[in-house]
Amino acid sequence: MASRAQVAVYPGTFDPVTHGHVDIVERASRVFERVIVAVYDGGERASKRPLFSGEERVSLARESLCQFGNVSVDTFNELLVDYCNAVGAGTIVRGLRAVSDFEYEFQLAHMYQHLDPELEVVCLMTRSDHSFISSSIIREVASLGGAVNDLVPPPVAAALSQRFKGAGL
Ligand code: COA
């Protein structure tokens, strides 16, 4: 059985999952024995109003990450530290795209560690050619008919095209 530190949770809204996220999952899957991609579905409490429902984000992530044998996808709606304890994870993985991400990640990491000093936060660097991608920029470009097919996994490209039918994706 994997030790707690070797079970990592990669949390996020994943609205939707992009090649940048897949890159982080791939790296994490090489470092940890088990990686749980945890889709935050905070409902009314969440600060973001997602385009895709929680179930849609989970199934898009599952379809996009099925090539990794030690990666699973789950959803959570409580404090991340409580979720990590419930699933026996000792590490939180986060992706860093640019220096501008650092301040927010620093704040999050300190809050997670304030809430549970036993948890470790590990940040992995996103590949430089993915460093400009964010889910909101993908949603905006897709909604206006711009091509994003090379920036997201095929199931996500299909879902965006379906959602913004007529926008000329
Ligand atoms: N490649 C591409 N895009 C990336 C990326 C990567 N490697 N890493 C992050 N992003 C993008 C995301 O798509 C997202 O884009 P958007 O804001 O344009 O939609 C943006 O960067 C921010 O992503 P992230 O930092 O993962 O934030 P999030 O909102 O997706 O996730 C939670 C934040 C869910 C992890 C955090 O709010 C949380 O832990 N919530 C649970 C409740 C809790 O415990 N709260 C207390 C926190 S201390």
Side-chain angles (χ1 to χ4, degrees):
M1 205 170 101
S3 71
R4 261 182 103 78
Q6 275 298 317
V7 180
V9 165
Y10 177 34
T13 308
F14 302 107
D15 184 38
V17 68
T18 68
H19 279 340
H21 296 125
V22 176
D23 177 42
I24 297 295
V25 172
E26 184 173 3
R27 284 161 201 275
S29 75
R30 284 193 234 117
V31 176
F32 299 99
E33 281 179 42
R34 269 185 66 205
V35 177
I36 303 167
V37 175
V39 177
Y40 182 53
D41 190 12
E44 290 302 305
R45 281 192 313 278
S47 53
K48 295 182 176 178
R49 290 273 155 274
L51 172 68
F52 292 105
S53 70
E55 295 88 67
E56 288 170 321
R57 284 178 280 136
V58 167
S59 66
L60 287 173
R62 281 202 181 120
E63 288 173 59
S64 306
L65 300 169
C66 57
Q67 66 272 36
F68 305 110
N70 59 344
V71 174
S72 58
V73 180
D74 193 12
T75 183
F76 74 108
N77 60 13
E78 67 267 56
L79 273 178
L80 179 64
V81 295
D82 292 339
Y83 174 76
C84 289
N85 283 319
V87 296
T91 306
I92 295 171
V93 167
R94 298 285 295 165
L96 279 181
R97 289 164 299 172
V99 179
S100 51
D101 281 344
F102 180 76
E103 212 165 316
Y104 175 60
E105 292 306 327
F106 192 72
Q107 224 181 344
L108 274 186
H110 279 293
M111 182 51 84
Y112 294 141
Q113 282 173 338
H114 167 77
L115 294 169
D116 186 344
E118 298 288 305
L119 281 169
E120 284 304 333
V121 179
V122 171
C123 290
L124 300 175
M125 312 296 159
T126 309
R127 252 171 56 183
S128 58
D129 54 335
H130 292 146
S131 62
F132 67 98
I133 312 177
S134 74
S135 298
S136 52
I137 212 164
I138 294 284
R139 294 194 303 272
E140 180 174 344
V141 171
S143 75
L144 294 169
V148 292
N149 290 9
D150 51 345
L151 304 176
V152 295
V156 174
L160 285 168
S161 155
Q162 178 68 25
R163 188 58 60 101
F164 298 118
K165 239 185 210 149
L169 191 82

